[in-house]
Amino acid sequence: DIGKNPVGTGPFQFSEWVQQQRVVFKRFDGYWGGAPNLDQLTFVVITDESARLASFLSGETLIDGGLTTTDATAVKQNNNSVLVSAPQIGPYVLILDTRDAPFSDKRVRQALSLATDRNALVQGTSSGFGSVANQYMTSLNPFYDKSLPPLEEDVQQAKTLLEQAGASNLKFPLLTFNTEPYKSFTQLLQQQWARAGITVTINQLETSQFLATAGKGTNSDTPAMATILLTQRPGQVASWLVSTAFAPAGKNRGYYSNSQFDSLEQQAATHSVADAKSYEQQAQKLALEEPSSIIPLYIIPELTGVSKKIQGVDWSQWKGWAYPLWQQFWMS
């Protein structure tokens, strides 16, 4: 059973798996790249966030990944650890159903974006660790466009656009996860949008329920959802927006369709990463200006606590959600 007795080619070999408790790996001296410095790695399963943080701060565990911004503050203040910040895999976004009213009218989508105070989202829900998003990717993606300006906030213009679209006093439900930061930032959005006369009912689901529901795409009952956009690799923006990738078979959950966007992404797909960059950035600008079915909100970096006992790694080179090679580590 490869699930219980996996075989690989890395510097550590499987030793033990106790479900819901730990997975243990021991050093493999025959590794082709040279034996690692550590004798053993143990990954401990601690599902409760407060218990996981307490275990790390006490020194029982030496790395704590996926920190909330509140926990990251505690780690930063701890003399025995360092806080490592790396680019996130993508921004938090809204996905809107562009097939039916109200979001089939791009003026309504524009209004929602204009009624959003992204700086307030950063300050209110990320303890200052976050940054505003102005595109569909973060700096982790080689197609990231540094030239793009911030997305505007203009509540009065939002009201005007809603009136022109016949959508004054807009009301709709918003689907999201029942975890942080989703709970906090959707509540802030609810307050911000109220300034433009928009009323939102927030529906929070447990992770597996949300993923199952979101995977089916937006519809009349679920016209809007708040989630994170996985766009850390070249070409992943296209997977969320090209018209050949409609949900549920694909990731285009807002059913955005723009032939010019599709054409630019097709050209990008036929070139090397270096040559595809200009096509990808043109496509992104087009979708942002319309805007498409996806509205970027803000970014929280991947935050990890690391004990000062761990040596041998240049954490400034860490690129998020992919730890440095474990064989580089050694213990002081």
Side-chain angles (χ1 to χ4, degrees), residues 21-324:
Q21 292 186 37
R22 65 184 177 273
V23 181
V24 181
F25 297 87
K26 62 182 180 181
R27 182 173 66 185
F28 176 46
D29 290 327
Y31 177 56
W32 62 270
N37 298 311
L38 301 179
D39 293 324
Q40 179 174 288
L41 288 173
T42 301
F43 295 85
V44 183
V45 179
I46 307 176
T47 56
D48 181 78
E49 287 184 357
S50 58
R52 190 169 69 239
L53 177 66
S55 175
F56 175 75
L57 294 178
S58 70
E60 182 179 353
T61 53
L62 301 178
I63 296 179
D64 188 1
L67 293 170
T68 66
T69 54
T70 300
D71 289 350
T73 300
V75 169
K76 191 174 183 179
Q77 295 170 347
N78 181 32
N79 292 329
N80 297 317
S81 62
V82 294
L83 179 66
V84 178
S85 176
Q88 182 57 277
I89 55 175
Y92 293 102
V93 299
L94 299 172
I95 299 180
L96 309 173
D97 186 355
T98 58
R99 294 174 300 177
D100 301 309
F103 300 122
S104 55
D105 191 322
K106 71 177 184 180
R107 292 172 297 185
V108 178
R109 305 197 298 272
Q110 289 171 346
L112 211 56
S113 182
L114 287 166
T116 301
D117 183 346
R118 292 169 175 81
N119 286 304
L121 292 180
V122 171
Q123 296 304 316
T125 68
S126 75
S127 302
F129 288 106
S131 59
V132 298
N134 64 344
Q135 55 194 291
Y136 302 126
M137 62 189 84
T138 70
S139 59
L140 202 58
N141 192 310
F143 293 157
Y144 182 77
D145 191 345
K146 295 180 181 180
S147 70
L148 290 176
L151 296 174
E152 295 181 24
E153 178 201 3
D154 189 332
V155 177
Q156 188 55 52
Q157 179 63 10
K159 289 180 178 180
T160 299
L161 287 170
L162 289 173
E163 185 177 351
Q164 291 174 353
S168 297
N169 301 314
L170 176 65
K171 297 180 181 180
F172 64 92
L174 175 64
L175 185 73
T176 194
F177 296 92
N178 67 347
T179 56
E180 295 295 355
Y182 301 96
K183 292 167 66 174
S184 295
F185 83 68
T186 53
Q187 289 171 3
L188 268 179
L189 288 173
Q190 187 180 49
Q191 297 168 19
Q192 292 177 7
W193 293 341
R195 301 172 302 168
I198 301 169
T199 303
V200 178
T201 302
I202 302 172
N203 297 330
Q204 299 172 351
L205 296 181
E206 183 269 337
T207 299
S208 61
Q209 288 182 300
F210 176 87
L211 293 175
T213 304
K216 297 175 184 177
T218 52
N219 53 53
S220 57
D221 294 324
T222 309
M225 57 183 72
T227 186
I228 190 169
L229 206 63
L230 307 182
T231 53
Q232 72 270 36
R233 298 186 182 92
Q236 286 189 310
V237 169
S239 69
W240 290 94
L241 289 172
V242 292
S243 61
T244 54
F246 286 165
K251 290 182 179 180
N252 188 342
R253 297 170 181 172
Y255 304 96
Y256 176 67
S257 180
N258 184 308
S259 59
Q260 188 178 353
F261 178 89
D262 289 351
S263 176
L264 286 166
E265 289 293 357
Q266 287 173 1
Q267 292 180 75
T270 61
H271 289 76
S272 67
V273 171
D275 293 334
K277 186 173 184 177
S278 63
Y279 294 110
E280 184 81 13
Q281 290 185 345
Q282 289 179 62
Q284 180 174 235
K285 286 180 180 179
L286 177 71
L288 287 167
E289 289 172 0
E290 189 171 358
S292 72
S293 56
I294 300 177
I295 308 295
L297 297 173
Y298 75 128
I299 301 163
I300 297 179
E302 179 68 12
L303 300 165
T304 299
V306 182
S307 169
K308 289 183 178 179
K309 293 180 179 179
I310 293 179
Q311 303 292 320
V313 175
D314 179 4
W315 289 99
S316 68
Q317 301 301 310
W318 186 45
K319 297 301 181 184
W321 284 54
Y323 286 108

